Amino acid sequence: MTMVGEESGSLSGMPSIDTGTLLSVISLLIIAYVVTRVISFLLTAFSEKVGKYRIKIKMLLPILKFSIYGYTVYYIMAKLLEVSAQELILFGGLLGAAIGFGLKDLFADLIGGIIIVFEKPYQIGDKIRVGDQYGEVNDIGIRATTITTPDDNYVSIPNYVIFTQSVSSANIGNSEMMVVTDIFLEHGSDMKIARKLLKEAVVTSRFVYMSEKHPITILTKDFPFYIRLRAKAYTRDLRYEFNFESDVSSRAWKELKKKGIKPPGANLIDSSSMPDQRDR
Amino acid sequence: MGKDGEVDFSIIGLENEIEQIQSNIDDLENGKGGSIAIIAEQFAGKTTLINKVCSMNKNRVEMISLSSVVKDEKKLQEIEEQKQIKIIDNCHFLYRHKIGGFDIIERFLKTVTSPENKQYITTWNIHSWNFLENTHEISKYFPVQIKLQGLTQEQARQLILSEYEEGEIQFIEDPTENKEKMINFVIDNTIFLNKEIGIPHLKINYRQIKSKLSRKKIILTPEENIFENIYSISKGNPGISKAIWEQSLVYPQIKPGDIKEPCQDMELDNDESFILSILVSMQNASRSDIIEIAGDEIDIERALQVLSKKNIISSEREHYTIKPEILKCATNFLRRSRLV
């Protein structure tokens, strides 16, 4: 089947690839793609069934994907095209030129993808922040990482970004993640009651996760026109990040109001002077 | 041993715990030691244990058994004041899983540590205990903690058969065609576009595979097979073991094939799972308590209906409790979802 490097049938001594080989190469690439998709689908479906181990299982996806594509490329080069050392050097030179001229970004993405797979700055299922983008990682592909933002936007981030920007992962491969919930109260509020109620709102939330290593912290800080009550606690699944925050906040306020504790006057809260919500 | 030298089977597997508690009671009377917490899951024998301790120390202890959420502290003060040691059964009813639901337990914990006060022997559901450990570091209030271990397979057999005369029960071999298969073809019903549809699929019988792969190639008698099957579901929980036995027994006969794996793949949404976690922690709860705990954001009627329809919970006079045979798989499910 293989005709690469054979002088007979080639023009001016250049190697040629016959139709059969070409079809085999295309078929192999299609098979690799289908196998990758099927494995991704099955692993994702299985991971959704196992609760807290979801992210651990999804971690296998990029490794499998890179392994399948890597092996396919190796098989095509070594077995079908029977590329010799000389041809490999020639190919390397051409590839170098191609990278130099226009494919350098693609190549950087590919290397970035490999680094993401092995160094694991983030994994599939993590909540990450890259530049201005924040969301849950859906897929780590050969070229790009895709995330879903809280507004349900599907954002594709080129893999090379990890070389140029800092990436923060809120849960580094765990299902649980810390959620910070702030409540702003007027000065003179009974802080003992307020702290108690906020703590109880956190511990009785159906989204909370508590353990020895995942404690709950309630912090108070005075600002010129209001008091900030901050609850730091973990949600049992990062997908409940916003549900947890909302649940704690709404239930806490319901009880705080019953005790006569009020938010600061609306005119006193200037959004531009508010501390960054992520400031911990 | 009973009064007349007969073995008291009701406390089988609890002998060491009784001995430990008895020794602590002696210490408590001498002003040593501290309050005791007996911790176990539902149906594990906490009340049996505490009743036995109470009957052994009638003159020294006074006991109160809580059967529903305590909303009025006066209930705790109902007991006599003369005796130094108080036993309180089902202390998980001292709090409610809601904002403002911890006042009674907080005052109770203060009482427990008060130096001039009495000593307490308390029982707790293990999931409530774990929750309170995270919220109130409850273990610091009870220097002695006794966690009930399950029965062994032999102890479970003795406990179950203690209610029958020797030879009264007939253990029968399964007909060959009725033996459990490793893979079964089942049809699960699900709701899709407001219509109930049956989805046929293959279901792996892990218990059967495990028994096939087991290195023990000893041929078991039907009786041994039955108790092995019961044990594999109950994990030694006496209440669950008894419930499975009673469901499977077609008096006076029982076959290994009658012990069915009660757990289907549990698929519950967030609200249903939360309600289930409340029931697993409280052991039983009234509709009004569940409504109070769950708040406005959960459709409680729907969640309770789903849990009942899936044979996970049972209800009696508006009080809900988990079915014994389901407890283990429900707990595993909730553990995976991190709700217990």
Side-chain angles (χ1 to χ4, degrees):
Chain A
M1 182 187 282
T2 310
M3 292 293 168
V4 177
E6 288 181 9
E7 290 196 12
S8 58
S10 65
L11 290 172
S12 59
M14 290 297 287
S16 68
I17 301 170
D18 65 15
T19 318
T21 310
L22 189 65
L23 284 175
S24 301
V25 169
I26 293 168
S27 308
L28 267 178
L29 288 173
I30 292 171
I31 289 168
Y33 176 76
V34 171
V35 168
T36 312
R37 294 303 294 251
V38 169
I39 290 177
S40 297
F41 174 78
L42 292 176
L43 258 184
T44 306
F46 176 66
S47 69
E48 296 295 334
K49 291 242 175 203
V50 292
K52 63 181 174 182
Y53 300 113
R54 186 184 75 232
I55 294 175
K56 307 270 182 227
I57 291 171
K58 282 189 175 175
M59 276 166 59
L60 297 171
L61 274 175
I63 297 172
L64 280 170
K65 207 179 277 183
F66 274 83
S67 304
I68 291 168
Y69 283 129
Y71 183 74
T72 308
V73 169
Y74 162 77
Y75 188 84
I76 290 169
M77 300 292 266
K79 304 284 177 184
L80 288 182
L81 303 179
E82 290 177 356
V83 177
S84 66
Q86 268 185 321
E87 287 159 347
L88 202 62
I89 291 165
L90 180 67
F91 178 72
L94 285 171
L95 189 68
I99 290 165
F101 280 111
L103 295 176
K104 68 175 173 44
D105 288 346
L106 187 66
F107 191 70
D109 285 338
L110 184 66
I111 298 295
I114 293 168
I115 287 172
I116 292 167
V117 167
F118 290 103
E119 202 181 275
K120 297 191 184 75
Y122 55 82
Q123 294 151 25
I124 294 179
D126 279 6
K127 284 264 176 130
I128 63 165
R129 181 179 291 280
V130 183
D132 294 336
Q133 301 296 342
Y134 176 72
E136 183 179 337
V137 178
N138 292 322
D139 189 25
I140 300 170
I142 302 287
R143 193 196 66 77
T145 294
T146 48
I147 65 170
T148 304
T149 67
D151 301 329
D152 208 24
N153 289 326
Y154 198 68
V155 179
S156 178
I157 302 168
N159 287 336
Y160 82 87
V161 165
I162 61 157
F163 299 124
T164 57
Q165 289 193 38
S166 55
V167 180
S168 69
S169 172
N171 56 309
I172 44 165
N174 298 313
S175 302
E176 71 275 9
M177 73 174 281
M178 182 180 271
V179 175
V180 178
T181 309
D182 286 339
I183 277 182
F184 298 94
L185 309 172
E186 65 178 5
H187 276 293
S189 303
D190 186 334
M191 293 311 292
K192 193 179 168 191
I193 291 179
R195 283 175 66 92
K196 184 176 187 294
L197 291 180
L198 181 60
K199 187 185 172 191
E200 289 182 0
V202 173
V203 302
T204 56
S205 171
R206 60 190 192 277
F207 304 108
V208 74
Y209 176 61
M210 294 182 286
S211 76
E212 205 179 329
K213 289 181 181 169
H214 301 87
I216 287 161
T217 316
I218 306 289
L219 302 166
T220 314
K221 190 169 182 179
D222 274 342
F223 287 88
F225 302 110
Y226 53 83
I227 302 169
R228 185 188 71 194
L229 202 51
R230 170 168 283 187
K232 287 178 165 187
Y234 292 82
T235 178
R236 60 191 167 87
D237 192 312
L238 52 88
R239 288 179 181 171
Y240 302 135
E241 178 188 2
F242 301 107
N243 307 57
F244 183 44
E245 194 177 348
S246 162
D247 181 56
V248 169
S249 179
S250 60
R251 288 188 311 116
W253 265 121
K254 202 171 162 186
E255 298 299 319
L256 286 166
K257 282 178 182 166
K258 281 184 196 168
K259 301 280 179 190
I261 298 172
K262 294 176 191 162
N267 56 330
L268 295 179
I269 299 184
D270 171 12
S271 59
S272 62
S273 69
M274 294 274 276
D276 179 6
Q277 295 294 299
R278 300 277 153 206
D279 161 35
R280 294 177 184 181
Chain B
M1 301 282 272
K3 276 180 191 172
D4 51 1
E6 284 180 9
V7 178
D8 183 356
F9 282 105
S10 69
I11 54 154
I12 198 163
L14 297 171
E15 296 87 351
N16 291 339
E17 284 79 7
I18 290 172
E19 201 175 306
Q20 195 184 346
I21 294 167
Q22 197 56 42
S23 135
N24 272 290
I25 287 176
D26 296 339
D27 284 346
L28 291 176
E29 280 212 326
N30 297 329
K32 287 187 256 170
S35 293
I36 302 170
I38 299 160
I39 307 151
E41 66 179 354
Q42 197 173 359
F43 312 115
K46 299 185 290 291
T47 304
T48 308
L49 171 66
I50 217 74
N51 283 339
K52 183 70 185 171
V53 170
C54 194
S55 69
M56 288 166 66
N57 299 277
K58 272 180 189 159
N59 300 324
R60 298 200 277 181
V61 302
E62 49 191 335
M63 177 170 165
I64 184 166
S65 187
L66 306 174
S67 56
S68 60
V69 172
V70 176
K71 292 172 186 167
D72 184 358
E73 271 167 290
K74 282 178 189 163
K75 192 166 185 175
L76 285 179
Q77 291 153 7
E78 277 170 10
I79 40 183
E80 304 165 49
E81 291 295 324
Q82 298 93 344
K83 291 170 186 165
Q84 184 63 25
I85 299 168
K86 280 183 180 177
I87 296 179
I88 306 182
D89 191 18
N90 294 328
C91 283
H92 43 267
F93 286 127
L94 291 174
Y95 79 96
R96 276 175 293 171
H97 195 105
K98 56 171 278 200
I99 304 176
F102 299 89
D103 297 348
I104 290 178
I105 198 161
E106 281 165 6
R107 282 195 287 275
F108 173 68
L109 292 177
K110 273 183 191 162
T111 316
V112 167
T113 44
S114 162
E116 70 278 2
N117 225 297
K118 294 167 189 268
Q119 303 294 347
Y120 288 85
I121 300 174
T122 54
T123 69
W124 304 80
N125 175 284
I126 190 161
H127 305 298
S128 289
W129 176 270
N130 291 339
F131 173 75
L132 291 167
E133 179 62 20
N134 286 322
T135 58
H136 290 76
E137 295 181 306
I138 194 165
S139 59
K140 290 185 177 169
Y141 297 87
F142 295 92
V144 182
Q145 292 151 35
I146 298 170
K147 292 194 177 175
L148 297 192
Q149 308 301 320
L151 304 179
T152 61
Q153 191 177 315
E154 177 53 23
Q155 286 172 333
R157 190 188 73 84
Q158 286 179 16
L159 177 71
I160 290 168
L161 293 183
S162 66
E163 292 175 14
Y164 304 92
E165 297 293 330
E166 203 175 330
E168 185 180 343
I169 300 296
Q170 297 164 18
F171 298 95
I172 297 172
E173 183 79 61
D174 276 328
T176 320
E177 65 272 19
N178 283 357
K179 281 192 175 171
E180 282 191 70
K181 294 173 187 166
M182 285 196 281
I183 297 175
N184 298 307
F185 182 78
V186 293
I187 298 175
D188 274 349
N189 290 329
T190 188
I191 306 288
F192 183 70
L193 295 176
N194 291 329
K195 285 181 184 167
E196 190 163 317
I197 53 167
I199 300 176
H201 64 99
L202 296 174
K203 187 172 166 63
I204 298 168
N205 186 341
Y206 293 105
R207 197 178 68 190
Q208 194 62 13
I209 291 174
K210 204 172 149 190
S211 100
K212 291 274 180 200
L213 292 176
S214 168
R215 287 185 183 175
K216 289 189 289 178
K217 291 296 174 195
I218 306 158
I219 298 166
L220 299 175
T221 63
E223 181 178 346
E224 287 166 332
N225 237 326
I226 286 164
F227 286 107
E228 191 171 277
N229 288 353
I230 290 176
Y231 186 77
S232 77
I233 299 168
S234 71
K235 304 283 184 288
N237 180 310
I240 300 177
S241 302
K242 276 184 162 184
I244 296 167
W245 169 267
E246 279 158 20
Q247 283 169 16
S248 312
L249 180 71
V250 185
Y251 186 82
Q253 295 184 338
I254 187 165
K255 297 193 291 289
D258 292 335
I259 318 288
K260 303 281 184 212
E261 178 65 61
C263 300
Q264 301 297 323
D265 289 336
M266 213 174 260
E267 287 208 10
L268 300 174
D269 69 19
N270 207 17
D271 294 350
E272 294 149 12
S273 307
F274 180 66
I275 301 287
L276 183 62
S277 75
I278 295 296
L279 288 172
V280 165
S281 302
M282 290 178 71
Q283 303 195 166
N284 73 70
S286 67
R287 181 186 293 265
S288 58
D289 284 334
I290 297 172
I291 289 169
E292 237 182 284
I293 289 167
D296 320 327
E297 292 186 18
I298 295 181
D299 185 349
I300 292 141
E301 298 301 330
R302 189 200 59 81
L304 287 172
Q305 200 183 5
V306 170
L307 291 172
S308 300
K309 207 175 172 188
K310 290 190 173 181
N311 278 324
I312 295 169
I313 61 170
S314 57
S315 65
E316 198 180 326
R317 282 177 290 167
E318 300 246 306
H319 276 73
Y320 295 85
T321 188
I322 189 157
K323 291 194 169 179
E325 66 275 18
I326 301 291
L327 181 67
K328 288 288 178 186
C329 55
T331 308
N332 286 337
F333 170 79
L334 294 171
R335 210 166 269 144
R336 282 200 304 272
S337 310
R338 297 177 147 185
L339 275 161
V340 295

